[in-house]
Amino acid sequence: MARDSSATKARLLDAAFTEFAEYGIAGARVDRIAEAAGANKRLIYVYFGNKEQLFDLVLQHAMELGAESVPFDAADLPGYAGAIFDHLTERPALMRLVAWKQLERPGSTADGAVAYGRKIAAVADAQLGGRIDPGLNPSDVLTLVLALAQAWFAAPGGPATDADGSAWKEERRHRHRGTVVEAVSRIIAPDPGRVSAS
Protein backbone atom coordinates (compact mmCIF):
# COMPACT_ATOMS: atom_id res chain seq x y z
CA MET A 1 0.00 0.00 0.00
CA ALA A 2 2.81 2.43 0.86
CA ARG A 3 4.40 1.87 -2.53
CA ASP A 4 1.10 2.65 -4.29
CA SER A 5 0.69 5.83 -2.24
CA SER A 6 4.29 6.90 -3.03
CA ALA A 7 3.76 6.25 -6.73
CA THR A 8 0.49 8.21 -6.69
CA LYS A 9 2.16 11.14 -4.91
CA ALA A 10 4.99 11.12 -7.45
CA ARG A 11 2.54 11.11 -10.38
CA LEU A 12 0.56 13.94 -8.80
CA LEU A 13 3.71 16.02 -8.27
CA ASP A 14 4.83 15.44 -11.87
CA ALA A 15 1.39 16.37 -13.20
CA ALA A 16 1.27 19.42 -10.92
CA PHE A 17 4.69 20.58 -12.18
CA THR A 18 3.44 20.46 -15.75
CA GLU A 19 0.15 22.18 -14.90
CA PHE A 20 1.72 24.96 -12.83
CA ALA A 21 4.46 25.59 -15.39
CA GLU A 22 1.81 26.00 -18.07
CA TYR A 23 -0.88 27.95 -16.19
CA GLY A 24 0.56 29.29 -12.93
CA ILE A 25 -1.31 28.99 -9.64
CA ALA A 26 -4.41 30.95 -10.60
CA GLY A 27 -4.89 29.19 -13.92
CA ALA A 28 -4.00 25.69 -12.74
CA ARG A 29 -6.87 23.27 -12.23
CA VAL A 30 -6.80 20.52 -9.65
CA ASP A 31 -9.10 18.42 -11.85
CA ARG A 32 -6.55 18.48 -14.69
CA ILE A 33 -3.72 17.57 -12.33
CA ALA A 34 -5.66 14.59 -10.98
CA GLU A 35 -6.69 13.46 -14.45
CA ALA A 36 -3.13 13.71 -15.81
CA ALA A 37 -1.88 11.69 -12.83
CA GLY A 38 -4.65 9.11 -13.12
CA ALA A 39 -5.64 9.81 -9.51
CA ASN A 40 -8.64 10.94 -7.53
CA LYS A 41 -8.78 14.73 -7.05
CA ARG A 42 -9.44 14.27 -3.33
CA LEU A 43 -5.96 12.75 -2.92
CA ILE A 44 -4.37 16.08 -3.80
CA TYR A 45 -5.95 17.68 -0.75
CA VAL A 46 -5.19 14.66 1.42
CA TYR A 47 -1.52 14.50 0.45
CA PHE A 48 -0.64 18.12 -0.21
CA GLY A 49 -3.26 20.50 1.19
CA ASN A 50 -4.59 23.31 -0.99
CA LYS A 51 -3.42 24.38 -4.46
CA GLU A 52 -0.98 26.99 -3.09
CA GLN A 53 0.63 24.43 -0.80
CA LEU A 54 0.94 22.03 -3.72
CA PHE A 55 2.59 24.76 -5.83
CA ASP A 56 5.07 25.52 -3.02
CA LEU A 57 5.94 21.84 -2.71
CA VAL A 58 6.37 21.43 -6.48
CA LEU A 59 8.67 24.46 -6.60
CA GLN A 60 10.64 23.33 -3.55
CA HIS A 61 11.09 19.88 -5.08
CA ALA A 62 12.27 21.42 -8.39
CA MET A 63 14.75 23.69 -6.57
CA GLU A 64 16.10 20.78 -4.50
CA LEU A 65 16.57 18.73 -7.66
CA GLY A 66 18.39 21.68 -9.23
CA ALA A 67 20.67 22.09 -6.20
CA GLU A 68 21.51 18.36 -6.31
CA SER A 69 22.07 18.35 -10.07
CA VAL A 70 24.04 21.61 -10.11
CA PRO A 71 26.06 22.00 -6.91
CA PHE A 72 27.28 25.52 -6.22
CA ASP A 73 31.01 26.06 -6.68
CA ALA A 74 32.28 29.59 -6.00
CA ALA A 75 35.75 28.49 -7.17
CA ASP A 76 34.33 27.78 -10.66
CA LEU A 77 31.51 30.23 -11.34
CA PRO A 78 31.83 29.88 -15.14
CA GLY A 79 31.40 26.10 -14.79
CA TYR A 80 28.49 26.63 -12.41
CA ALA A 81 26.77 28.97 -14.87
CA GLY A 82 27.29 26.43 -17.66
CA ALA A 83 25.83 23.66 -15.52
CA ILE A 84 22.76 25.79 -14.73
CA PHE A 85 22.38 26.48 -18.45
CA ASP A 86 22.52 22.73 -19.17
CA HIS A 87 20.02 21.95 -16.40
CA LEU A 88 17.56 24.50 -17.76
CA THR A 89 18.05 23.37 -21.36
CA GLU A 90 17.00 19.89 -20.26
CA ARG A 91 14.04 21.27 -18.26
CA PRO A 92 12.72 24.37 -20.05
CA ALA A 93 9.40 24.23 -18.16
CA LEU A 94 11.34 25.02 -14.97
CA MET A 95 11.89 28.62 -16.09
CA ARG A 96 8.14 29.02 -16.66
CA LEU A 97 7.46 27.65 -13.18
CA VAL A 98 9.93 30.11 -11.66
CA ALA A 99 8.38 32.98 -13.62
CA TRP A 100 4.95 32.08 -12.27
CA LYS A 101 6.39 31.98 -8.75
CA GLN A 102 7.82 35.48 -9.18
CA LEU A 103 4.51 36.78 -10.51
CA GLU A 104 2.11 35.06 -8.14
CA ARG A 105 4.14 34.43 -4.99
CA PRO A 106 6.96 37.00 -4.96
CA GLY A 107 9.45 36.99 -2.16
CA SER A 108 11.90 34.50 -0.80
CA THR A 109 11.38 31.57 1.52
CA ALA A 110 13.47 31.34 4.68
CA ASP A 111 15.33 28.32 3.28
CA GLY A 112 15.94 30.10 -0.01
CA ALA A 113 17.32 33.18 1.74
CA VAL A 114 19.69 31.05 3.85
CA ALA A 115 20.95 29.15 0.78
CA TYR A 116 21.45 32.41 -1.13
CA GLY A 117 23.33 33.89 1.84
CA ARG A 118 25.69 30.90 1.91
CA LYS A 119 26.46 31.35 -1.78
CA ILE A 120 27.19 35.05 -1.29
CA ALA A 121 29.55 34.19 1.59
CA ALA A 122 31.31 31.61 -0.60
CA VAL A 123 31.74 34.21 -3.36
CA ALA A 124 33.21 36.65 -0.80
CA ASP A 125 35.66 33.95 0.34
CA ALA A 126 36.66 33.29 -3.29
CA GLN A 127 37.28 37.02 -3.68
CA LEU A 128 39.54 37.00 -0.64
CA GLY A 129 41.38 34.06 -2.19
CA GLY A 130 41.99 36.05 -5.38
CA ARG A 131 39.83 33.86 -7.65
CA ILE A 132 37.12 36.50 -8.22
CA ASP A 133 37.50 40.24 -8.74
CA PRO A 134 37.34 41.74 -5.23
CA GLY A 135 36.15 45.07 -6.64
CA LEU A 136 32.67 43.63 -7.17
CA ASN A 137 30.02 43.21 -4.52
CA PRO A 138 29.63 39.45 -3.85
CA SER A 139 25.84 39.72 -4.07
CA ASP A 140 26.13 41.44 -7.46
CA VAL A 141 28.50 38.72 -8.69
CA LEU A 142 26.05 35.96 -7.76
CA THR A 143 23.10 37.83 -9.25
CA LEU A 144 24.95 38.39 -12.53
CA VAL A 145 26.08 34.76 -12.75
CA LEU A 146 22.52 33.51 -12.25
CA ALA A 147 21.10 36.07 -14.67
CA LEU A 148 23.60 35.17 -17.40
CA ALA A 149 22.93 31.45 -16.95
CA GLN A 150 19.19 32.05 -17.37
CA ALA A 151 19.19 34.88 -19.92
CA TRP A 152 18.60 32.80 -23.05
CA PHE A 153 15.53 31.20 -21.52
CA ALA A 154 13.72 34.54 -21.36
CA ALA A 155 14.40 35.29 -25.03
CA PRO A 156 11.43 35.61 -27.42
CA GLY A 157 10.03 32.28 -28.53
CA GLY A 158 10.23 30.57 -25.18
CA PRO A 159 12.84 28.68 -23.24
CA ALA A 160 15.45 26.98 -25.41
CA THR A 161 13.31 27.07 -28.54
CA ASP A 162 13.79 28.48 -32.02
CA ALA A 163 11.28 30.91 -33.55
CA ASP A 164 9.27 27.97 -34.92
CA GLY A 165 8.97 26.44 -31.43
CA SER A 166 11.40 23.59 -32.07
CA ALA A 167 14.09 22.80 -29.52
CA TRP A 168 17.52 24.27 -30.08
CA LYS A 169 19.88 22.22 -32.20
CA GLU A 170 23.02 21.00 -30.44
CA GLU A 171 25.22 23.55 -32.22
CA ARG A 172 23.08 26.47 -31.03
CA ARG A 173 22.86 25.14 -27.48
CA HIS A 174 26.64 24.69 -27.40
CA ARG A 175 27.22 28.22 -28.77
CA HIS A 176 24.91 29.85 -26.21
CA ARG A 177 26.43 27.85 -23.37
CA GLY A 178 29.89 28.96 -24.44
CA THR A 179 28.76 32.58 -24.47
CA VAL A 180 27.41 32.25 -20.93
CA VAL A 181 30.61 30.66 -19.62
CA GLU A 182 32.80 33.25 -21.36
CA ALA A 183 30.71 36.18 -20.08
CA VAL A 184 30.90 34.92 -16.48
CA SER A 185 34.66 34.38 -16.85
CA ARG A 186 35.12 37.98 -17.97
CA ILE A 187 32.95 39.43 -15.21
CA ILE A 188 34.70 37.66 -12.36
CA ALA A 189 38.29 37.90 -13.66
CA PRO A 190 40.41 39.57 -11.00
CA ASP A 191 41.59 43.05 -11.94
CA PRO A 192 44.89 43.71 -10.14
CA GLY A 193 44.38 47.46 -10.37
CA ARG A 194 40.98 47.42 -8.67
CA VAL A 195 40.40 47.68 -4.91
CA SER A 196 37.73 45.79 -3.01
CA ALA A 197 34.21 47.22 -3.03
CA SER A 198 32.82 44.95 -0.32
Side-chain angles (χ1 to χ4, degrees), residues 68-91:
E68 289 171 14
S69 300
V70 186
F72 181 70
D73 184 1
D76 182 16
L77 289 179
Y80 176 65
I84 290 173
F85 180 89
D86 292 341
H87 184 74
L88 295 175
T89 301
E90 294 167 9
R91 296 161 191 80

Short mmCIF file of all heavy atoms in Angstrom, two decimals, residues 68-91:
data_model
loop_
_atom_site.label_atom_id
_atom_site.label_comp_id
_atom_site.label_asym_id
_atom_site.label_seq_id
_atom_site.Cartn_x
_atom_site.Cartn_y
_atom_site.Cartn_z
N GLU A 68 20.81 19.65 -6.27
CA GLU A 68 21.51 18.36 -6.31
C GLU A 68 22.20 18.16 -7.66
O GLU A 68 23.32 17.67 -7.72
CB GLU A 68 20.53 17.21 -6.07
CG GLU A 68 20.00 17.11 -4.66
CD GLU A 68 18.88 16.09 -4.53
OE1 GLU A 68 18.68 15.28 -5.46
OE2 GLU A 68 18.20 16.12 -3.49
N SER A 69 21.52 18.55 -8.72
CA SER A 69 22.07 18.35 -10.07
C SER A 69 23.17 19.34 -10.40
O SER A 69 24.07 19.03 -11.18
CB SER A 69 20.95 18.50 -11.11
OG SER A 69 19.94 17.56 -10.90
N VAL A 70 23.08 20.54 -9.82
CA VAL A 70 24.04 21.61 -10.11
C VAL A 70 24.57 22.17 -8.79
O VAL A 70 24.11 23.20 -8.32
CB VAL A 70 23.39 22.73 -10.94
CG1 VAL A 70 24.43 23.75 -11.35
CG2 VAL A 70 22.67 22.18 -12.15
N PRO A 71 25.52 21.49 -8.17
CA PRO A 71 26.06 22.00 -6.91
C PRO A 71 26.79 23.32 -7.11
O PRO A 71 27.45 23.52 -8.13
CB PRO A 71 27.01 20.91 -6.42
CG PRO A 71 27.04 19.86 -7.47
CD PRO A 71 26.11 20.24 -8.57
N PHE A 72 26.65 24.21 -6.14
CA PHE A 72 27.28 25.52 -6.22
C PHE A 72 28.78 25.38 -5.99
O PHE A 72 29.21 24.69 -5.08
CB PHE A 72 26.67 26.47 -5.19
CG PHE A 72 27.26 27.85 -5.24
CD1 PHE A 72 26.98 28.68 -6.31
CD2 PHE A 72 28.09 28.30 -4.24
CE1 PHE A 72 27.52 29.96 -6.38
CE2 PHE A 72 28.64 29.58 -4.30
CZ PHE A 72 28.34 30.41 -5.37
N ASP A 73 29.56 26.07 -6.81
CA ASP A 73 31.01 26.06 -6.68
C ASP A 73 31.54 27.47 -6.93
O ASP A 73 31.70 27.88 -8.09
CB ASP A 73 31.63 25.06 -7.66
CG ASP A 73 33.13 24.93 -7.52
OD1 ASP A 73 33.72 25.60 -6.64
OD2 ASP A 73 33.73 24.16 -8.29
N ALA A 74 31.80 28.22 -5.87
CA ALA A 74 32.28 29.59 -6.00
C ALA A 74 33.67 29.64 -6.64
O ALA A 74 34.06 30.66 -7.20
CB ALA A 74 32.31 30.29 -4.64
N ALA A 75 34.42 28.53 -6.57
CA ALA A 75 35.75 28.49 -7.17
C ALA A 75 35.68 28.31 -8.69
O ALA A 75 36.67 28.50 -9.39
CB ALA A 75 36.56 27.35 -6.56
N ASP A 76 34.50 27.96 -9.22
CA ASP A 76 34.33 27.78 -10.66
C ASP A 76 32.96 28.31 -11.08
O ASP A 76 32.08 27.56 -11.48
CB ASP A 76 34.48 26.31 -11.03
CG ASP A 76 34.36 26.07 -12.55
OD1 ASP A 76 34.47 27.06 -13.32
OD2 ASP A 76 34.13 24.91 -12.94
N LEU A 77 32.79 29.63 -10.97
CA LEU A 77 31.51 30.23 -11.34
C LEU A 77 31.19 30.08 -12.83
O LEU A 77 30.02 29.87 -13.18
CB LEU A 77 31.45 31.69 -10.90
CG LEU A 77 31.35 31.90 -9.39
CD1 LEU A 77 31.33 33.39 -9.07
CD2 LEU A 77 30.14 31.20 -8.81
N PRO A 78 32.17 30.14 -13.74
CA PRO A 78 31.83 29.88 -15.14
C PRO A 78 31.27 28.46 -15.34
O PRO A 78 30.28 28.28 -16.06
CB PRO A 78 33.16 30.07 -15.87
CG PRO A 78 33.92 31.03 -15.01
CD PRO A 78 33.56 30.62 -13.60
N GLY A 79 31.90 27.47 -14.70
CA GLY A 79 31.40 26.10 -14.79
C GLY A 79 30.02 25.95 -14.17
O GLY A 79 29.16 25.22 -14.69
N TYR A 80 29.80 26.65 -13.07
CA TYR A 80 28.49 26.63 -12.41
C TYR A 80 27.42 27.21 -13.32
O TYR A 80 26.34 26.63 -13.48
CB TYR A 80 28.58 27.42 -11.09
CG TYR A 80 27.28 27.56 -10.34
CD1 TYR A 80 26.63 26.45 -9.81
CD2 TYR A 80 26.73 28.81 -10.13
CE1 TYR A 80 25.45 26.58 -9.10
CE2 TYR A 80 25.55 28.96 -9.42
CZ TYR A 80 24.91 27.85 -8.90
OH TYR A 80 23.74 28.00 -8.20
N ALA A 81 27.73 28.35 -13.95
CA ALA A 81 26.77 28.97 -14.87
C ALA A 81 26.47 28.04 -16.04
O ALA A 81 25.32 27.90 -16.46
CB ALA A 81 27.31 30.31 -15.37
N GLY A 82 27.50 27.38 -16.57
CA GLY A 82 27.29 26.43 -17.66
C GLY A 82 26.43 25.26 -17.24
O GLY A 82 25.57 24.80 -18.00
N ALA A 83 26.63 24.78 -16.03
CA ALA A 83 25.83 23.66 -15.52
C ALA A 83 24.37 24.07 -15.32
O ALA A 83 23.46 23.28 -15.59
CB ALA A 83 26.43 23.13 -14.23
N ILE A 84 24.14 25.30 -14.85
CA ILE A 84 22.76 25.79 -14.73
C ILE A 84 22.13 25.86 -16.12
O ILE A 84 20.99 25.43 -16.31
CB ILE A 84 22.73 27.19 -14.07
CG1 ILE A 84 23.10 27.10 -12.60
CG2 ILE A 84 21.33 27.81 -14.21
CD1 ILE A 84 23.25 28.45 -11.92
N PHE A 85 22.87 26.39 -17.07
CA PHE A 85 22.38 26.48 -18.45
C PHE A 85 21.97 25.08 -18.96
O PHE A 85 20.89 24.92 -19.53
CB PHE A 85 23.46 27.09 -19.34
CG PHE A 85 23.06 27.22 -20.78
CD1 PHE A 85 22.42 28.37 -21.23
CD2 PHE A 85 23.34 26.22 -21.69
CE1 PHE A 85 22.05 28.50 -22.56
CE2 PHE A 85 22.99 26.33 -23.02
CZ PHE A 85 22.33 27.48 -23.46
N ASP A 86 22.83 24.10 -18.74
CA ASP A 86 22.52 22.73 -19.17
C ASP A 86 21.26 22.20 -18.48
O ASP A 86 20.40 21.58 -19.11
CB ASP A 86 23.69 21.80 -18.87
CG ASP A 86 24.92 22.10 -19.71
OD1 ASP A 86 24.78 22.76 -20.76
OD2 ASP A 86 26.02 21.68 -19.30
N HIS A 87 21.17 22.42 -17.17
CA HIS A 87 20.02 21.95 -16.40
C HIS A 87 18.73 22.55 -16.95
O HIS A 87 17.73 21.85 -17.11
CB HIS A 87 20.21 22.32 -14.92
CG HIS A 87 19.15 21.81 -14.01
ND1 HIS A 87 19.05 20.49 -13.64
CD2 HIS A 87 18.13 22.46 -13.39
CE1 HIS A 87 18.01 20.35 -12.83
NE2 HIS A 87 17.44 21.53 -12.66
N LEU A 88 18.75 23.83 -17.25
CA LEU A 88 17.56 24.50 -17.76
C LEU A 88 17.24 24.10 -19.19
O LEU A 88 16.07 24.01 -19.58
CB LEU A 88 17.72 26.02 -17.67
CG LEU A 88 17.82 26.57 -16.24
CD1 LEU A 88 18.10 28.06 -16.26
CD2 LEU A 88 16.54 26.28 -15.46
N THR A 89 18.28 23.83 -19.99
CA THR A 89 18.05 23.37 -21.36
C THR A 89 17.31 22.03 -21.34
O THR A 89 16.43 21.79 -22.17
CB THR A 89 19.38 23.22 -22.12
OG1 THR A 89 20.04 24.48 -22.14
CG2 THR A 89 19.16 22.77 -23.54
N GLU A 90 17.65 21.19 -20.38
CA GLU A 90 17.00 19.89 -20.26
C GLU A 90 15.61 19.99 -19.64
O GLU A 90 14.80 19.07 -19.78
CB GLU A 90 17.88 18.95 -19.42
CG GLU A 90 19.19 18.61 -20.09
CD GLU A 90 20.18 17.95 -19.14
OE1 GLU A 90 19.79 17.61 -18.01
OE2 GLU A 90 21.36 17.80 -19.53
N ARG A 91 15.32 21.09 -18.95
CA ARG A 91 14.04 21.27 -18.26
C ARG A 91 13.49 22.68 -18.51
O ARG A 91 13.36 23.49 -17.59
CB ARG A 91 14.24 21.09 -16.75
CG ARG A 91 14.67 19.72 -16.35
CD ARG A 91 15.29 19.71 -14.95
NE ARG A 91 15.93 18.46 -14.65
CZ ARG A 91 17.15 18.11 -15.09
NH1 ARG A 91 17.86 18.93 -15.81
NH2 ARG A 91 17.65 16.94 -14.78
#
